[in-house]
Amino acid sequence: MVFTMAWGLLVLGVLLPSSYAHTDFFTSIGHMTDLINTEKDLVTSLKDYIKAEESKLEQIKKWAEKLDKLTDTATKDPEGFLGHPVNAFKLMKRLNTEWSELENLVLKDMSDGFISNMTIQRQYFPNDEDQTGAAKALLRLQDTYNLDTDTLSKGNLPGVKHKTFLTPEDCFELGKIAYTESDYYHTELWMQQALKQLDDGEVSSIDRVSVLDYLSYAVYQQGDLDKAMTLTKRLLELDPEHQRANGNMKYFEYIMAKEKEANKSVAKTNDKAEEESKTQKMGPSKNYLPERQKYEMLCRGEGLKMTPRRQSKLFCRYHDGNRNPKYILGPVKQEDEWDRPRIVRFLEIISDEEIETVKELAKPRLSRATVHDPQTGKLTTAHYRVSKSAWLSGYENPTVARINTRIEDLTGLDVSTAEELQVANYGVGGQYEPHFDFGRKDEPDAFKELGTGNRIATWLFYMSDVAAGGATVFPEVGASVWPRKGTAVFWYNLFPSGEGDYSTRHAACPVLVGNKWVSNKWIHERGQEFRRPCSLSEFE
C-alpha cells in the first residue's frame, strides 16, 4: 500500500549509529555535570577562534583600506605616480612580496586550536543512544506527572531554578524519536506542539511540511482517518507536488470510499456499530506494568490510602537503638512514615560532610545500575531502572565504615553479611519501577552467589533534596516517602518467619526537577538468627 510503504522509507536516516561507545550519560546528573564543563571549555575555545579570525580580518581590512586609497591616487595619474622612483620601487615590492604575504594570511587556518580541542573532547560526547534516552526520559516524565506538551515546552515545571524552553526543532526531534519507537501517541503530541509553535510565528529551520508529514501518519496509525486527511490536505496546500502526501491522499480516499460502501449495507438501526468499529486512539503504553496507574498517582502525591485513625497511631520519638550505649545519652530522631509495612524515618542521621565524602568516592565508579536477573541470578541492566550506581566497602574508607556501624547500631542487625553500601544518582527522568528487594520463591537463586540468605531489610539514605518528583512509593499499600536530605528510611522485607512481605513492593519515582542522590544497605538473613528470631506464624 502506498501510504505504509512510503512511510517505511522515512525511517531511514532518522538516527545514525554513533561510532562512540555508549556511556548512558542521561542516567546520571553526576556525569552530566562533566558535560557542562566540557561544553564550557568548547565555548571558550570557540571564542578564542573567533578572536583570532577577527584579528586576521582586521589586518586584511586595514591592508585593503590602505591599498584602496593608494590605488585610487595611482590610477588617476599612473605615469606621474610612477615618475617618483620610490613609488615605482614600492609597487614592485608590493606585488612581489607583500601581496604574497597577504595571500598567506588569507590562507592561514585559524581554526587549528579549536578543531584540535573538538577532536580531544569529542570522545567524551554523548551519542545517539544518550540523546534518545534523554528524550524518552522527557516522555516518561510527561506521562508520570500528567504534563501537557505546552507546559513542558515552556519549561513551566515546579521548583525550577533555570527556566528554559523547547524550540520547534526540539519538539520535532522529540516527535521523531517517538516515531522511531513506533510510539505514535507521543509522536502526535510533539509534532502537534511543533506545528503550534510554528503557527504562532516562532522562527525555525523546521518547515511545516516536514511536521505535517509525520503528524498525519501518527494520527492515521491511531485510527483517526478524518484528521489524517485534513492534515494531509493542509500539507498539499503548502507543497502540491509532495509525492508521499499525494500517494497517501489517494490511499485515504480509497479507504473512505470502502467504508462508505460498507456503511450503506448496514441497517440504519446499527448506526452505533460504525463508532464502535473505529480504532480506539492510543494513549501511553501501560500494558507491561499492571500497577502503573497506582504507581504514577503516588508519584504525583495522589491516592494515599491511610485513614485518619491509622495516621493518628504514627508517632515521632527519640530512638536509642534498643539501649545501645552510643545512643542512650544522644538518641536520634525517628518518625513513623507508615504502619503496614512499618516504615520508619531517621532524621539528621548522616551529615553533609559524610554525604560529600560518599559522593566523591562514588562518582569515579558510577555505572549503569543493575538488577538481579531472576533467571540467571546475575546482575544485568534493565529498562525499568534508570540510574547510575557504585558500591563502597567499609574497609576502604573510615566514613563508609562509620556509616555501616551506625546502621548496625540503630537497627540491631548484623551488617557483616550485608551487601556493600550502594550509592545511586538519578539523572533525567531517573527511576526504578516497582520491584521487590527480596528474592521470591520463584527466584531460589536470586542471591545464591552471596551465600548470605535473602534480603531481610532495607536501609535507604537520602543524600539530597529533590525539587520535584523522586519519591519512594509503595503501590501495594499507597505509601509515598519523599526525599529529605540527611534522613534515612528503614523497613523489613521479610516477616520474622522468613516469608517475603509482598506489601514492601516499592519504586523510585522519576526525578522531575533536580538531582537525586541516595545510598542504601541491603541487610541479609545470615547473622540475624539471635537478633531477630523466627516466629511460629508464617506472616508475623
Side-chain angles (χ1 to χ4, degrees):
M1 292 187 289
V2 175
F3 194 93
T4 306
M5 290 177 65
W7 273 89
L9 294 172
L10 183 62
V11 180
L12 301 175
V14 172
L15 288 174
L16 296 174
S18 172
S19 60
Y20 300 100
H22 181 227
T23 47
D24 286 332
F25 279 111
F26 71 96
T27 60
S28 168
I29 293 293
H31 280 172
M32 288 179 72
T33 55
D34 295 336
L35 296 180
I36 292 287
N37 294 327
T38 296
E39 190 166 44
K40 177 64 177 175
D41 182 58
L42 287 174
V43 170
T44 301
S45 180
L46 180 61
K47 289 169 73 175
D48 289 342
Y49 163 66
I50 292 169
K51 286 180 182 177
E53 287 287 7
E54 287 176 341
S55 175
K56 170 181 163 180
L57 288 173
E58 188 62 30
Q59 292 180 61
I60 295 170
K61 184 180 177 182
K62 287 179 180 178
W63 172 264
E65 290 174 350
K66 183 180 76 172
L67 267 293
D68 188 39
K69 292 178 182 177
L70 185 64
T71 53
D72 275 351
T73 302
T75 53
K76 288 176 182 176
D77 182 12
E79 292 185 4
F81 180 82
L82 291 173
H84 195 302
V86 172
N87 284 337
F89 164 73
K90 294 188 72 171
L91 175 62
M92 297 301 105
K93 178 176 175 289
R94 280 197 304 274
L95 291 173
N96 182 53
T97 306
E98 294 180 12
W99 274 100
S100 296
E101 291 173 355
L102 180 64
E103 181 184 21
N104 291 335
L105 178 60
V106 170
L107 293 173
K108 186 177 181 181
D109 190 352
M110 311 304 291
S111 67
D112 287 350
F114 173 68
I115 296 301
S116 175
N117 195 21
M118 274 284 290
T119 303
I120 293 169
Q121 299 288 9
R122 194 184 299 279
Q123 62 185 311
Y124 306 113
F125 281 14
N127 58 23
D128 288 339
E129 288 184 58
D130 287 303
Q131 183 175 333
T132 300
K136 287 181 179 178
L138 271 180
L139 303 183
R140 184 162 59 245
L141 291 173
Q142 181 180 11
D143 293 342
T144 302
Y145 296 104
N146 278 348
L147 303 171
D148 60 70
T149 51
D150 200 51
T151 297
L152 268 177
S153 181
K154 291 178 179 176
N156 294 328
L157 300 177
V160 293
K161 290 182 180 178
H162 309 284
K163 187 174 178 179
T164 189
F165 59 90
L166 295 172
T167 64
E169 290 93 339
D170 296 328
C171 297
F172 182 73
E173 185 63 29
L174 285 168
K176 278 206 306 183
I177 288 173
Y179 170 79
T180 61
E181 299 290 318
S182 298
D183 178 1
Y184 302 116
Y185 169 74
H186 286 108
T187 303
E188 178 187 358
L189 290 180
W190 285 103
M191 290 301 172
Q192 194 73 58
Q193 182 64 29
L195 187 63
K196 176 182 177 295
Q197 291 180 212
L198 289 172
D199 288 343
D200 288 344
E202 289 191 33
V203 178
S204 171
S205 60
I206 301 297
D207 60 87
R208 288 177 178 80
V209 170
S210 298
V211 176
L212 287 164
D213 205 4
Y214 277 96
L215 181 56
S216 59
Y217 181 65
V219 168
Y220 164 74
Q221 281 285 16
Q222 294 179 91
D224 195 340
L225 188 57
D226 289 335
K227 186 176 179 181
M229 287 188 72
T230 301
L231 292 167
T232 306
K233 285 177 182 177
R234 183 179 174 187
L235 190 162
L236 289 170
E237 288 174 3
L238 297 171
D239 184 2
E241 303 302 318
H242 197 283
Q243 186 176 355
R244 181 163 48 247
N246 278 300
N248 292 340
M249 200 66 200
K250 291 177 182 177
Y251 177 66
F252 290 153
E253 289 167 350
Y254 168 72
I255 294 295
M256 289 289 280
K258 281 187 69 175
E259 285 185 0
K260 287 179 181 179
E261 188 178 332
N263 288 339
K264 286 179 183 178
S265 64
V266 178
K268 292 182 179 180
T269 54
N270 292 333
D271 286 343
K272 290 184 179 180
E274 180 184 350
E275 293 300 319
E276 292 174 359
S277 65
K278 285 186 177 180
T279 306
Q280 292 296 312
K281 194 163 187 177
M282 293 186 290
S285 174
K286 299 180 185 289
N287 296 328
Y288 72 95
L289 193 63
E291 72 239 282
R292 172 165 284 280
Q293 189 173 5
K294 286 194 292 183
Y295 157 60
E296 292 182 348
M297 287 178 67
L298 290 169
C299 288
R300 297 191 294 268
E302 303 169 4
L304 301 180
K305 294 180 180 178
M306 183 168 284
T307 62
R309 183 177 180 181
R310 284 173 61 191
Q311 199 162 6
S312 68
K313 296 180 180 179
L314 302 181
F315 296 97
C316 56
R317 64 188 68 82
Y318 283 102
H319 180 69
D320 61 11
N322 298 318
R323 306 295 293 171
N324 186 296
K326 295 179 184 177
Y327 296 103
I328 290 176
L329 294 179
V332 298
K333 298 174 184 176
Q334 185 192 74
E335 61 185 29
D336 296 328
E337 285 283 350
W338 207 257
D339 56 352
R340 295 188 300 274
R342 186 166 186 251
I343 306 169
V344 295
R345 187 193 294 263
F346 293 87
L347 282 68
E348 300 169 6
I349 201 63
I350 183 170
S351 68
D352 288 349
E353 291 76 16
E354 288 173 325
I355 288 172
E356 289 307 310
T357 298
V358 169
K359 285 166 62 175
E360 289 307 310
L361 288 169
K363 281 179 181 178
R365 312 181 197 180
L366 287 175
S367 60
R368 182 70 183 263
T370 56
V371 297
H372 271 280
D373 186 325
Q375 303 299 322
T376 64
K378 297 181 179 179
L379 294 173
T380 182
T381 58
H383 70 88
Y384 54 83
R385 188 177 191 188
V386 183
S387 64
K388 282 193 173 175
S389 65
W391 300 84
L392 304 180
S393 299
Y395 65 81
E396 63 183 295
N397 188 278
T399 297
V400 179
R402 187 166 63 248
I403 288 171
N404 288 341
T405 301
R406 187 177 307 152
I407 294 171
E408 179 166 321
D409 291 341
L410 292 173
T411 62
L413 298 175
D414 185 354
V415 299
S416 65
T417 58
E419 294 173 51
E420 294 177 347
L421 188 70
Q422 182 182 216
V423 183
N425 179 220
Y426 291 81
V428 180
Q431 63 166 6
Y432 192 176
E433 289 180 358
H435 62 282
F436 298 103
D437 280 351
F438 64 91
R440 273 79 68 212
K441 289 182 178 179
D442 59 346
E443 302 171 343
D445 297 331
F447 307 109
K448 187 177 180 179
E449 291 182 359
L450 299 178
T452 52
N454 212 340
R455 289 173 176 167
I456 192 173
T458 296
W459 177 286
L460 177 65
F461 284 111
Y462 291 112
M463 302 198 300
S464 65
D465 292 313
V466 180
T472 305
V473 299
F474 295 74
E476 294 295 316
V477 297
S480 294
V481 180
W482 298 91
R484 284 155 60 187
K485 186 179 181 182
T487 70
V489 291
F490 173 80
W491 67 86
Y492 281 102
N493 297 306
L494 305 180
F495 291 111
S497 64
E499 291 296 321
D501 184 352
Y502 283 79
S503 67
T504 62
R505 185 171 172 83
H506 60 286
C509 295
V511 177
L512 178 58
V513 177
N515 185 10
K516 182 181 176 183
W517 283 90
V518 298
S519 57
N520 65 278
K521 194 79 171 172
W522 281 312
I523 304 170
H524 283 247
E525 291 177 290
R526 298 293 178 264
Q528 321 307 338
E529 292 83 355
F530 299 105
R531 297 183 183 231
R532 194 194 189 215
C534 291
S535 69
L536 298 177
S537 173
E538 184 178 0
F539 298 110
E540 285 185 4

